[in-house]
């Protein structure tokens, strides 16, 4: 079953109304996104980290989420320093590592982590149902709010159905391998999940 590991807690952030937290997270993100100064982005990241500390969130799930997002940031560090024109710092064959590329990758890393930490500390400390109610209270489009809540609900339905079908396959002695039978079984399983979720 999918979890909401940050929604339960005793910190002051957990007790604040979801509407206030969602509005604050959106406002802060809008302010963070256009920043062009690494010092300002670093300062905001520090504030976001303090929010996380204030929320007293469990460390292991928090680090997993931060690591997951920073995998994508790592891709920026692989490509952006070599594809941004500017002053060459280092040459690797035909590739030119530029100071401007490094600065841009660093700035994006700081801003994306600041936004992520803000959302985890503020929005993550509410349940998904409360966040849906907050979006409605903030006059977000009704269809968008309902779509958000239905998506969360049906992710659980599909996950339960998948677990039920994989358990049934294991009980019947199914052992995955690299052969046609395994591929057909997984194809049938995926099809049944889609049909039953529909």
């Amino acid at each position: 079953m999918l979890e909401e590991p940050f929604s339960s807690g005793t910190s002051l952030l957990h007790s604040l109304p979801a509407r206030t937290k969602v509005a604050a997270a959106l406002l802060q993100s809008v302010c963070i996104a256009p920043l062009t100064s690494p010092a300002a982005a670093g300062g905001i990241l520090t504030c976001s980290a303090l929010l996380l500390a204030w929320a007293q969130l469990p460390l292991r799930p928090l680090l997993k989420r931060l690591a997951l997002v920073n995998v994508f940031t790592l891709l920026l560090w692989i490509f952006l320093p070599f594809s941004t024109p500017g002053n060459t710092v280092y040459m690797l064959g035909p590739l030119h590592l530029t100071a401007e590329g490094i600065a841009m990758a660093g700035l994006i890393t700081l801003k994306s982590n600041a936004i992520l930490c803000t959302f985890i500390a503020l929005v993550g400390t509410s349940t998904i149902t409360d966040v849906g109610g907050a979006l409605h209270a903030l006059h977000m489009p009704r269809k968008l709010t309902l779509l958000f809540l239905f998506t969360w609900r049906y992710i659980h339905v599909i996950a339960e159905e998948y677990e039920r079908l994989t358990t049934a396959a294991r009980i019947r002695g199914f052992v995955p391998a690299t052969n046609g039978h395994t591929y057909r079984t997984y194809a049938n399983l995926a099809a049944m999940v889609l049909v039953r979720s529909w």
Side-chain angles (χ1 to χ4, degrees):
M1 184 60 79
L2 298 166
E3 298 176 352
E4 298 173 82
F6 308 131
S7 62
S8 58
T10 57
S11 73
L12 180 61
L13 282 180
H14 284 88
S15 61
L16 287 175
R19 178 181 9 184
T20 305
K21 293 189 284 187
V22 169
L26 290 172
L27 181 63
Q28 186 164 342
S29 299
V30 167
C31 293
I32 292 169
L35 290 177
T36 55
S37 163
I44 294 288
L45 179 57
T46 303
C47 293
S48 300
L50 289 173
L51 272 177
L52 284 178
W54 190 23
Q56 301 169 2
L57 302 177
L59 190 59
R60 193 168 185 173
L62 176 63
L63 292 177
K64 280 174 70 175
R65 277 169 178 67
L66 290 173
L68 187 63
V69 170
N70 280 293
V71 166
F72 295 102
T73 308
L74 182 62
L75 293 174
L76 285 175
W77 279 96
I78 293 171
F79 295 107
L80 205 54
F82 293 101
S83 60
T84 306
N87 298 321
T88 302
V89 175
Y90 181 76
M91 287 182 63
L92 185 64
L95 301 173
H96 295 260
L97 181 72
T98 64
E100 287 78 4
I102 293 170
M104 188 177 294
L107 182 63
I108 292 171
T109 301
L110 291 171
K111 292 197 297 185
S112 60
N113 278 286
I115 290 171
L116 177 65
C117 291
T118 298
F119 265 85
I120 290 175
L122 294 175
V123 180
T125 51
S126 299
T127 64
I128 295 295
T129 309
D130 289 342
V131 172
L135 291 174
H136 177 70
L138 292 169
H139 304 291
M140 292 290 179
R142 185 170 179 271
K143 288 181 182 177
L144 184 65
T145 304
L146 289 175
L147 182 63
F148 172 74
L149 291 171
F150 274 126
T151 301
W152 179 248
R153 168 72 181 113
Y154 279 97
I155 284 173
H156 284 78
V157 171
I158 291 168
E160 284 175 3
E161 191 59 36
Y162 175 78
E163 282 298 319
R164 196 180 69 75
L165 289 172
T166 51
T167 302
R170 283 196 302 270
I171 288 171
R172 291 186 177 98
F174 171 68
V175 178
T178 51
N179 56 33
H181 174 67
T182 299
Y183 300 142
R184 281 192 301 276
T185 302
Y186 277 126
N188 289 331
L189 190 143
M192 287 305 297
V193 167
L194 288 173
V195 167
R196 289 180 182 275
S197 66
W198 178 260

